Each structure stands twice: as structure tokens, then as C-alpha cells.
């Protein structure tokens, strides 16, 4: 974790933890860093929260002041910025969004010219500049030189870039959606225009909810983190399927025709099976994080699909996929990566691929997701004096081993350190919720008895 940037960008309360000055200075750095030796070009997108406009103008001004040309996609999705960064010959991309957070938060996500999350080395340099101690090319640069004359960059509206991305997604679909009734929960966020436009172009009868952003209602009781409204809508209006996006549309959860939630774990299973049936599941492997449900692994075992587990974060999923040549991975939360089509989680793409799997196989979403039984899960967070000391304690480890032995192949226990807080997280999955609670508490009791808890 960096001083400002976490695993998913620089995030904070807009105007407090993340200010227009932060954005301007980040823009100044990016314009200068990528403009050494040529005029940099940078693509910028934003979500619908009110503060996104302030941050968009500030970061763009900083880039142009350093000599970069800036192309504004305006309100768009994080995956579309990734797509344009790698296909539009840009030096890098920026998405202004706090994803699923409330409207009063915001964030700055940095994307490299390959459409991937920015390299840690470059992010460290950004942070050094924000702290006034940038060392670059053997020189300390407390302030970067300002461009002047015709070296000053220009800022260009590039709505066509959004259309290019939409056409790309449409081109990936092999089946008509004609006759399918599809509900879309756009979370009053980035997907509010783009997702309905794409589904309508493919022939679906589209019904939208939470597609009236006002700058303050993004993610408010809406989208993939508040999916109850979509569940009710699908059942009451006899939809064939529903899809819920988050604020920047890099994740998607689904609702089947009976109103049941289809998680990222279900999606990885059903699409992994579909690719396997086509002989296209690279290495016969799906990449998950350690927080995927035990039920997913049981279902994958049943159909002979292998899996790998990474640390929590789609960044780590993607790194594993690239390193090992896997083509499908993701998180329970709905960040799904189809590496043959995208370099990041893409909510709209995920929805389209689910539709493809349904239509190609002539099955409902209920039928495709049915083999995955989601096991009850209990997660207890314990605030501790020192995370590593607590987790490495021999008695704590013995308690964890005892729970694992009790569960055998009927469940699992996972104890891990929080990446951002002084917590260790004790998670147990088992067929029965009360059993989960009791077994997790056994480990917590040892942590407390050994004096690690605060």
C-alpha cells in the first residue's frame, strides 16, 4: 500500500482527503513524466458524482500545463478508459471514480498505456511528487517546469472514444438478444447510458432502474452493492435476467429469472464451464481470490476445472492470469476479467458474456448457476496490537489447524491480515451457519486469551 494510492487508486473524501490540488499535481506529474521526449497524450474518464467534474478539470489542467494533450471521454466506465488507453495510442489513462463508494468519496485510478493498472514504480514517483521529494533523471524536482507557448497542451472532448468502446463490446457478441427481457441496474453511475445503449443495439428488451444520476445518488441503495431492488424488479416484471453494475461499472452481479443473486463466484463457474465445453478455457484453470466461497471450489472440482487463489484484489487476479496464461478470473464481488477481451474487470462485458453463455447453451441463468452451492460464511474481525505477531502465534496457528481438521473437506478456515487496518480477519465457511460461528469464535478466543487483541 502506498502513501496515497491503494490497490484501486487514490481514494478519499472529496475536498478533504482528495482535493482538486491533489488532482492538479497528479496531472502535472503525468503530463511531464510521459512527455519527456515527445508530447504526451492522456485519456480521462469520470463517473457521475458531483466532485468528478472538479477533479476532471483539475487533473486535465495539470496535464495540459505540463504539455500533454488530454482527451476527455467525460462520463464513462473504468473499462472504457482501459480500452481506449491500449487501443488509442495513449501514454496512459485516468479514471475519476470511487467505484462503489458513496457520492461524497472520490478517487483517481491510473492506467498505463497497455490498459492495465499503473506500474507501482510510476505510482511511487507520483507520491514522491505529491510529497515534494521527487527524484527523476538524477535530479530532485520539487516543482515541475510549466509548458509555454505552443508547448502547452490542449484539452479535447472525445465522445467518439466512448462510442468506439461500445462498438467493440457489441462486436464480441455472437448471438442476438432478440426476445430477451433484460433489467439493468445502472447504480446512477457510469453505465447509465452506455449499458442500455449496448443491450438495445443487440436486440434486447431493456428495462433500466437507477439510471437518473444527479451527482449525489450514485450507488445510493442501488447497483451491485444494493441488489435487492433489482431482485424485486426482475420477479415483479417477469424479466429473463437482471444485471447490476457499480459506480464505475467495472463489476457486475446478476439476478436470475427467479430473483436469486448470481455472484462473481457463480459467474466464474458458469463461464468457466462454457469455455471448457468449447475447448477454450486456457490451462483448464480459473483464477480466484482467497475470499471466493468454498462452494465454488467444490463445484469446480466436480467438473474437473482447476483453480488458483490470489490475495484479495482484482489487481492480483490479473497479475496471476498474465503470469500463467490463464484467461478467466475474478472476485466474488463481481470483478470478472476475460483476458482475451479486456485488461481489467468490466461489468458490461461480464453481462454480455453471461448472455452469450445462456443463449449458446439454450439455458436459463438458474440452470447455469445451480451447481454452485454458496456455503454459509462467518467473518470476525479482531483488532490487534500487531497483525503479524498475532497471526504467527503458535497457539493461534494450533487453533486454526484444529478448526481445519474439524471441517475436513466440508468447509474451510481462512485467517488473514487486513491490508489497511490493525485487524486480523477470521473467516470460516461450513454447511451450517451456527457451526461457522462457533468454529470462528474458537480461534478468536485464543487470539484474545494470548493478549493480542486491543
Amino acid at each position: 500500500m502506498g502513501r496515497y494510492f491503494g490497490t484501486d487508486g487514490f481514494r478519499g473524501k472529496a475536498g478533504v482527503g482528495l482535493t482538486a490540488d491533489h488532482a492538479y499535481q497528479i496531472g502535472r506529474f503525468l503530463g511531464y513524466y510521459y512527455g519527456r521526449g515527445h508530447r504526451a497524450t492522456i485519456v480521462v474518464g469520470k463517473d457521475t458524482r458531483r466532485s468528478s467534474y472538479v477533479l476532471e478539470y483539475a487533473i486535465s489542467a495539470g496535464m495540459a500545463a505540463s504539455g500533454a494533450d488530454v482527451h476527455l471521454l467525460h462520463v464513462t466506465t473504468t473499462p472504457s478508459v482501459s480500452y481506449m488507453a491500449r487501443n488509442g495510442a495513449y501514454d496512459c489513462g485516468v479514471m475519476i471514480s470511487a467505484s462503489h463508494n458513496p457520492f461524497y468519496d472520490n478517487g483517481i485510478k491510473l492506467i498505463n498505456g497497455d490498459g492495465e493498472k499503473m506500474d507501482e514504480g510510476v505510482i511511487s514517483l507520483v507520491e514522491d511528487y505529491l510529497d515534494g521529494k521527487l527524484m527523476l533523471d538524477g535530479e530532485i524536482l520539487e516543482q515541475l517546469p510549466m509548458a509555454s507557448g505552443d508547448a502547452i497542451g490542449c484539452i479535447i472532448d472525445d465522445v467518439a472514444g466512448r462510442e468506439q468502446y461500445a462498438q467493440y463490446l457489441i462486436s464480441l457478441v455472437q448471438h442476438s438478444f432478440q426476445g430477451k427481457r433484460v433489467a439493468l441496474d445502472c447504480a446512477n453511475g457510469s453505465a447509465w447510458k452506455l449499458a442500455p445503449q449496448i443491450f438495445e443495439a443487440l436486440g434486447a428488451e431493456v428495462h433500466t432502474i437507477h439510471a437518473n444520476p444527479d451527482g449525489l445518488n450514485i450507488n445510493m441503495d442501488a447497483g451491485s452493492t444494493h441488489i435487492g431492488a433489482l431482485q424485486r424488479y426482475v420477479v415483479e416484471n417477469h424479466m429473463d435476467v437482471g444485471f447490476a453494475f457499480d459506480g464505475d461499472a467495472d463489476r457486475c452481479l446478476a439476478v436470475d429469472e427467479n430473483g436469486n443473486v448470481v455472484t462473481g463466484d457463480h459467474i466464474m463457474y458458469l463461464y468457466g464451464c462454457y469455455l471448457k465445453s468449447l475447448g477454450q478455457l486456457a490451462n483448464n484453470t480459473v483464477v480466484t481470490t482467497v475470499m471466493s466461497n468454498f462452494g465454488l471450489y467444490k463445484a469446480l472440482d466436480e467438473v474437473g476445472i482447476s483453480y488458483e487463489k490470489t490475495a484479495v484484489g482484482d489487481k492480483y487476479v490479473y497479475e496471476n492470469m498474465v503470469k500463467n496464461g490463464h484467461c478467466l478470473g475474478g472476485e466474488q464481488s463481481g470483478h470478472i476479467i476475460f483476458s482475451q477481451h479486456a485488461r481489467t474487470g468490466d461489468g458490461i462485458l461480464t453481462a454480455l458474456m453471461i448472455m452469450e453463455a445462456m443463449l449458446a447453451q439454450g439455458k436459463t441463468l438458474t440452470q447455469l448457476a445451480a451447481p454452485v452451492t454458496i456455503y454459509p460464511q462467518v467473518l470476525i474481525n479482531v483488532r490487534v496490537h500487531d497483525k503479524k505477531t498475532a497471526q504467527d502465534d503458535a497457539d493461534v496457528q494450533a487453533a486454526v489447524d484444529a478448526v481445519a481438521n474439524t471441517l475436513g473437506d466440508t468447509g474451510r478456515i481462512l485467517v488473514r491480515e487486513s491490508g489497511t487496518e490493525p485487524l486480523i480477519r477470521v473467516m470460516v465457511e461450513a454447511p451450517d451457519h451456527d457451526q461457522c460461528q462457533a468454529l470462528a469464535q474458537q480461534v478468536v478466543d485464543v487470539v484474545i486469551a494470548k493478549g493480542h487483541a486491543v
Side-chain angles (χ1 to χ4, degrees):
M1 302 291 289
R3 285 156 279 159
Y4 300 94
F5 287 81
T7 57
D8 204 23
F10 184 161
R11 196 172 292 185
K13 188 173 183 180
V16 182
L18 174 59
T19 67
D21 186 60
H22 285 128
Y24 178 76
Q25 296 301 336
I26 292 169
R28 289 275 286 123
F29 174 84
L30 294 174
Y32 177 81
Y33 179 82
Y34 285 102
R36 294 173 299 164
H38 73 288
R39 182 184 290 275
T41 57
I42 302 173
V43 61
V44 177
K46 66 174 182 285
D47 69 17
T48 57
R49 63 195 80 213
R50 183 175 293 180
S51 60
S52 292
Y53 293 79
V54 176
L55 297 175
E56 174 194 49
Y57 296 146
I59 202 167
S60 300
M63 294 168 179
S66 287
D69 288 344
V70 186
H71 290 239
L72 300 179
L73 300 181
H74 296 294
V75 173
T76 192
T77 67
T78 293
S80 73
V81 176
S82 170
Y83 172 81
M84 289 304 298
R86 77 176 190 270
N87 289 286
Y90 292 102
D91 291 287
C92 67
V94 173
M95 179 65 184
I96 298 164
S97 175
S99 188
H100 58 279
N101 284 27
F103 81 91
Y104 48 75
D105 289 335
N106 216 325
I108 296 175
K109 300 183 180 186
L110 303 184
I111 298 167
N112 67 24
D114 293 322
E116 303 165 344
K117 291 190 176 182
M118 189 75 78
D119 312 80
E120 290 296 332
V122 179
I123 288 177
S124 292
L125 292 174
V126 176
E127 294 180 325
D128 285 345
Y129 182 62
L130 291 175
D131 286 338
K133 56 178 185 180
L134 174 64
M135 172 73 76
L136 193 61
D137 300 330
E139 180 181 0
I140 293 179
L141 298 171
E142 292 184 6
Q143 291 293 326
L144 295 172
M146 301 286 288
S148 62
D150 62 2
I152 295 173
C154 59
I155 300 175
I156 303 162
D157 287 338
D158 193 3
V159 178
R162 289 204 311 268
E163 295 301 317
Q164 183 178 336
Y165 166 72
Q167 289 303 315
Y168 169 69
L169 291 185
I170 291 169
S171 74
L172 298 177
V173 176
Q174 304 300 312
H175 296 81
S176 170
F177 295 176
Q178 194 75 34
K180 293 298 180 182
R181 292 165 54 82
V182 180
L184 302 177
D185 184 340
C186 299
N188 293 311
S190 293
W192 79 281
K193 276 189 176 180
L194 200 55
Q197 169 192 338
I198 290 169
F199 274 82
E200 287 170 357
L202 290 164
E205 179 185 326
V206 179
H207 296 242
T208 59
I209 61 174
H210 303 130
N212 294 289
D214 63 10
L216 306 177
N217 61 1
I218 186 171
N219 300 315
M220 185 181 293
D221 299 322
S224 60
T225 53
H226 300 86
I227 203 166
L230 181 62
Q231 291 178 273
R232 293 189 293 275
Y233 189 93
V234 167
V235 172
E236 292 169 3
N237 294 277
H238 308 291
M239 297 287 109
D240 293 305
V241 65
F243 299 107
F245 308 109
D246 64 338
D248 66 336
D250 65 352
R251 70 169 74 176
C252 169
L253 294 181
V255 172
D256 70 20
E257 71 278 12
N258 297 314
N260 300 307
V261 177
V262 175
T263 70
D265 285 346
H266 292 98
I267 294 167
M268 286 187 282
Y269 171 82
L270 69 89
Y271 204 75
C273 289
Y274 175 54
L275 288 178
K276 182 179 175 74
S277 72
L278 300 175
Q280 296 176 7
L281 182 60
N283 306 317
N284 192 45
T285 298
V286 174
V287 182
T288 73
T289 76
V290 292
M291 291 304 291
S292 276
N293 192 271
F294 185 69
L296 169 63
Y297 302 123
K298 295 282 282 186
L300 291 174
D301 286 339
E302 287 291 323
V303 294
I305 292 177
S306 300
Y307 44 83
E308 296 197 23
K309 301 178 185 180
T310 75
V312 176
D314 60 323
K315 167 185 176 179
Y316 302 112
V317 172
Y318 181 70
E319 287 176 354
N320 181 289
M321 293 172 69
V322 171
K323 179 180 178 181
N324 298 297
H326 305 316
C327 68
L328 178 65
E331 297 186 284
Q332 190 179 54
S333 61
H335 281 117
I336 310 297
I337 301 174
F338 305 87
S339 65
Q340 69 271 45
H341 303 311
R343 306 289 173 86
T344 184
D346 187 329
I348 300 176
L349 173 62
T350 298
L352 296 177
M353 294 300 98
I354 292 172
M355 291 293 292
E356 280 285 275
M358 290 169 57
L359 293 165
Q361 297 171 93
K363 293 183 177 180
T364 65
L365 188 52
T366 298
Q367 292 171 323
L368 293 179
V372 179
T373 300
I374 298 298
Y375 278 50
Q377 180 187 95
V378 167
L379 175 66
I380 303 177
N381 294 320
V382 187
R383 188 169 293 273
V384 294
H385 296 287
D386 183 274
K387 293 181 287 188
K388 180 170 176 54
T389 300
Q391 186 163 355
D392 290 348
D393 184 293
D395 290 333
V396 173
Q397 288 294 322
V400 172
D401 292 342
V403 170
N405 290 333
T406 298
L407 290 170
D409 63 357
T410 66
R412 66 171 181 143
I413 180 169
L414 174 67
V415 180
R416 67 184 183 93
E417 300 174 18
S418 167
T420 57
E421 300 176 87
L423 305 172
I424 60 170
R425 307 188 192 278
V426 181
M427 187 270 285
V428 173
E429 291 172 339
D432 178 77
H433 181 275
D434 290 343
Q435 183 187 25
C436 289
Q437 185 69 48
L439 293 175
Q441 193 63 48
Q442 283 184 27
V443 175
V444 172
D445 288 345
V446 174
V447 173
I448 295 171
K450 292 300 296 290
H452 298 298
V454 174

